[in-house]
């Protein structure tokens, strides 16, 4: 298994191109199942999760291929001949559940393995199922699979989510585009990835209003046609790299970054003493003084502070002046990076969903283990300014969500290399 060795090497300067959003691409790809015409996605990120979704769609009989070195994904679903998404693929990537809504809406039935939990939590899908039941689907759980039927097709319905769920909103939104009548989704997720999905579905002929607000109204249509759509920039990759100069000093420009993708995060960086300015090509980031200030963070659904940037922010706050408190409200077990950062000399107290971080002068490199996607990159960020070498193992987690990390950081002057063992 590969490892990544990072050696503290002073300030970082230069430019980082921001790729298309993994979490947008993973919901845009299943949308191909809603139409028998080609769907082409451009600005796609080159990640292992995308390849897993390609494999899943191909297993259903859809055409799915990567073009232009993975920047373009060509999809078509005129020959779907299998309505079962098998556990051996679904267990590798939870986003596989997002084929359920489209299959049900277009074919009136689907058998999808329950994804199972992951390192950061149990990750149930009950809201996905309830949303589709509200549109007339019949659900039966049998031997780890969801057996879903909508013999007369889905019908529009009104559903209020008890709490915000990105994936359940995406499944319901896609299913509603072909349901008979009107569907209203209340307390829907507002993430930029949902807005991107709605824009793509509208290009395919869907009638949707309200994306980006908490209420989505969808008028079902008989069929959707093909489209070509650019994947929105990845706000989590963007926020991750914005923290590099916060930790190491220096000044970097994030090409393709847009403040509206991470407004609250930029405000929090400003509070911590990190200056973010808009440029013609993206966002410029630099630390105002030689250390960040401590800040308090509570993760919330968009537009609040993203849970997917909590681990990276914790890494930056390990060497802040003062004491910071991070509250994780979205997932029940998303502090697994804390013990690894403590191996590097960080001073962190974790109690339940609260982590108290007392800044230390400098971290020391150490062998550490990646436990999940965002934890893995937080350890790399910490290693960029630590004294000596940090060796991060299990970097397959990293490759799921970050395109060419070593190249992008090396271009900024970081000392980082991948070693295969
Ligand atoms: C999406 O996961 C993202 N993944 C996650 O990113 C992200 O952390 C999360 O949204 C929150 O922003 C993709 O888009 C592929 P949720 P999702 O449904 O849709 C609970 C990353 O690092 N819940 O908004 O699974 C759930 O357990 C990944 O890129 C239910 O209880 O998140 C969680 O506690 C990690 N029942 C909370 O709701 C359900 O039916 C929010 O989950 C669904 C969710």
């Amino acid at each position: 298994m590969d490892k990544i060795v990072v050696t503290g090497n002073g300030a970082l300067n230069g430019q980082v191109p921001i790729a298309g959003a993994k979490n947008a691409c993973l919901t845009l790809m299943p949308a191909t199942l809603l139409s028998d015409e080609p769907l082409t996605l451009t600005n796609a990120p080159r990640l292992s999760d995308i390849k897993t979704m390609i494999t899943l769609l191909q297993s259903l009989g859809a055409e799915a291929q990567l073009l232009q070195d993975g920047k373009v994904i060509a999809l078509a679903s005129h020959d779907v001949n299998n309505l079962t998404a098998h556990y051996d693929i679904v267990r590798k990537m939870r986003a596989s559940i997002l084929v359920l809504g489209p299959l049900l809406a277009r074919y009136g039935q689907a058998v999808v393995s329950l994804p199972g939990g992951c390192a950061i939590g149990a990750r149930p899908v009950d809201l996905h199922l309830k949303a589709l039941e509200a549109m007339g689907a019949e659900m039966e759980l049998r031997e780890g699979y969801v057996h879903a039927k909508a013999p007369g097709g889905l019908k529009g319905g009104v559903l209020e989510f008890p709490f915000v769920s990105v994936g359940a909103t995406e499944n319901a939104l896609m299913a509603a585009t072909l349901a008979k009548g009107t569907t209203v989704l209340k307390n829907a997720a507002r993430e930029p990835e949902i807005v991107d999905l709605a824009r793509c579905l509208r290009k395919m002929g869907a009638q949707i209003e309200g994306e980006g607000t908490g209420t989505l109204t969808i008028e079902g249509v008989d069929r959707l046609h093909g489209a070509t759509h650019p994947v929105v920039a990845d706000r989590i990759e963007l926020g991750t790299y914005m923290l590099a100069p916060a930790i190491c000093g220096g000044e970097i420009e994030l090409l393709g970054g847009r403040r509206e993708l991470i407004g609250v995060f930029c405000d929090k960086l400003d509070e911590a003493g990190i200056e973010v300015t808009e440029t013609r090509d993206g966002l410029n980031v630099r630390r105002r003084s030689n250390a960040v200030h401590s800040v308090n963070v509570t993760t919330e659904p968009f537009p609040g502070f993203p849970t997917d940037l909590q681990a990276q922010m914790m890494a930056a706050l390990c060497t802040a002046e003062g004491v910071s408190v991070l509250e994780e409200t979205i997932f029940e077990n998303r502090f697994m990076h804390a013990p690894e950062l403590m191996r590097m000399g960080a001073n962190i107290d974790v109690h339940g969903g609260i982590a108290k971080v007392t800044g230390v002068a400098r971290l020391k490199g150490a062998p550490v283990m990646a436990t999940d996607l965002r934890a893995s990159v937080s350890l790399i960020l910490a290693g960029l300014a630590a004294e000596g070498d940090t060796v991060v193992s299990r970097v397959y987690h990293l490759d799921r969500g970050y395109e060419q990390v070593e190249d992008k950081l090396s271009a900024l002057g970081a000392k980082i290399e991948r070693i295969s063992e």
Side-chain angles (χ1 to χ4, degrees):
M1 277 196 275
D2 290 359
K3 292 183 178 180
I4 286 186
V5 183
V6 193
T7 308
N9 194 33
L12 300 180
N13 293 285
Q15 294 182 320
V16 180
I18 298 302
K22 164 180 87 81
N23 290 349
C25 207
L26 291 176
T27 189
L28 290 165
M29 292 171 76
T32 183
L33 298 167
L34 293 165
S35 165
D36 58 3
E37 295 182 20
L39 173 63
T40 303
L41 300 175
T42 60
N43 192 40
R46 288 165 285 195
L47 303 168
S48 57
D49 268 9
I50 303 306
K51 290 182 180 149
T52 305
M53 184 59 83
I54 291 253
T55 304
L56 173 60
L57 291 171
Q58 287 174 343
S59 76
L60 301 173
E63 282 174 36
Q65 51 179 330
L66 295 174
L67 305 174
Q68 294 178 33
D69 187 27
K71 292 290 277 183
V72 172
I73 305 174
L75 303 159
S77 299
H78 37 73
D79 284 337
V80 167
N81 51 22
N82 164 34
L83 301 179
T84 298
H86 286 288
Y87 176 58
D88 61 337
I89 299 180
V90 175
R91 69 183 173 79
K92 285 194 196 113
M93 187 186 61
R94 304 181 27 71
S96 307
I97 192 73
L98 294 173
V99 302
L100 176 60
L103 285 175
L104 201 47
R106 175 112 177 276
Y107 299 98
Q109 58 177 316
V111 179
V112 178
S113 167
L114 285 170
C118 74
I120 63 177
R123 311 288 297 273
V125 292
D126 53 317
L127 297 188
H128 296 241
L129 307 186
K130 282 195 184 79
L132 296 168
E133 283 173 330
M135 291 183 220
E138 295 153 18
M139 298 285 173
E140 190 194 345
L141 296 191
R142 226 170 43 229
E143 294 161 13
Y145 282 76
V146 179
H147 293 256
K149 284 191 176 58
L154 294 173
K155 296 176 215 40
V158 179
L159 175 85
E160 178 150 11
F161 289 107
F163 50 83
V164 171
S165 163
V166 171
T169 301
E170 290 163 343
N171 243 331
L173 171 56
M174 288 190 282
T177 59
L178 295 178
K180 292 181 185 59
T182 307
T183 299
V184 180
L185 302 176
K186 296 181 179 175
N187 200 20
R190 299 163 56 185
E191 274 68 5
E193 294 75 39
I194 307 268
V195 173
D196 203 39
L197 173 62
R199 287 176 178 162
C200 179
L201 292 168
R202 192 174 291 122
K203 284 183 191 173
M204 296 169 73
Q207 293 181 19
I208 300 167
E209 284 175 16
E211 69 271 13
T213 72
T215 301
L216 289 167
T217 304
I218 305 104
E219 200 62 46
V221 294
D222 293 337
R223 63 188 296 278
L224 294 183
H225 48 74
T228 295
H229 182 77
V231 179
V232 68
D234 192 324
R235 63 193 169 98
I236 305 304
E237 185 193 32
L238 171 61
T240 300
Y241 285 110
M242 288 171 80
L243 286 168
I247 293 171
C248 303
E251 183 166 345
I252 67 170
E253 182 180 17
L254 296 307
L255 303 176
R258 301 201 316 268
R259 183 182 279 272
E260 70 263 21
L261 294 172
I262 46 164
V264 164
F265 180 74
C266 290
D267 298 342
K268 193 53 74 173
L269 292 188
D270 183 58
E271 189 188 330
I274 299 148
E275 186 178 271
V276 180
T277 48
E278 295 185 40
T279 66
R280 184 174 56 96
D281 300 320
L283 295 176
N284 213 60
V285 183
R286 57 182 285 277
R287 201 170 62 184
R288 289 198 191 95
S289 64
N290 60 9
V292 296
H293 315 309
S294 57
V295 292
N296 297 332
V297 168
T298 299
T299 62
E300 293 171 317
F302 194 87
F305 190 100
T307 175
D308 291 350
L309 285 171
Q310 177 260 109
Q312 301 90 313
M313 190 69 178
M314 184 184 287
L317 294 172
C318 286
T319 52
E321 286 164 351
V323 179
S324 306
V325 176
L326 294 99
E327 184 183 11
E328 173 57 59
T329 69
I330 307 290
F331 291 106
E332 62 265 35
N333 185 32
R334 203 168 197 178
F335 286 142
M336 285 173 295
H337 41 285
E340 300 304 309
L341 290 166
M342 287 187 241
R343 286 178 51 73
M344 299 173 69
N347 180 347
I348 306 170
D349 280 319
V350 174
H351 292 286
I354 305 276
K356 188 177 86 170
V357 181
T358 304
V360 297
R362 194 173 186 199
L363 298 181
K364 290 188 174 42
V368 291
M369 187 174 74
T371 48
D372 60 86
L373 167 55
R374 306 304 173 182
S376 54
V377 81
S378 80
L379 298 175
I380 287 182
L381 287 174
L384 289 172
E387 191 182 323
D389 291 351
T390 298
V391 182
V392 184
S393 58
R394 301 192 180 181
V395 291
Y396 55 84
H397 290 293
L398 192 69
D399 298 333
R400 295 189 53 178
Y402 287 91
E403 187 183 273
Q404 301 165 320
V405 174
E406 310 94 275
D407 300 345
K408 292 188 176 184
L409 286 173
S410 302
L412 300 176
K415 206 165 166 224
I416 180 170
E417 63 169 336
R418 182 181 292 253
I419 51 175
S420 299
E421 292 211 327

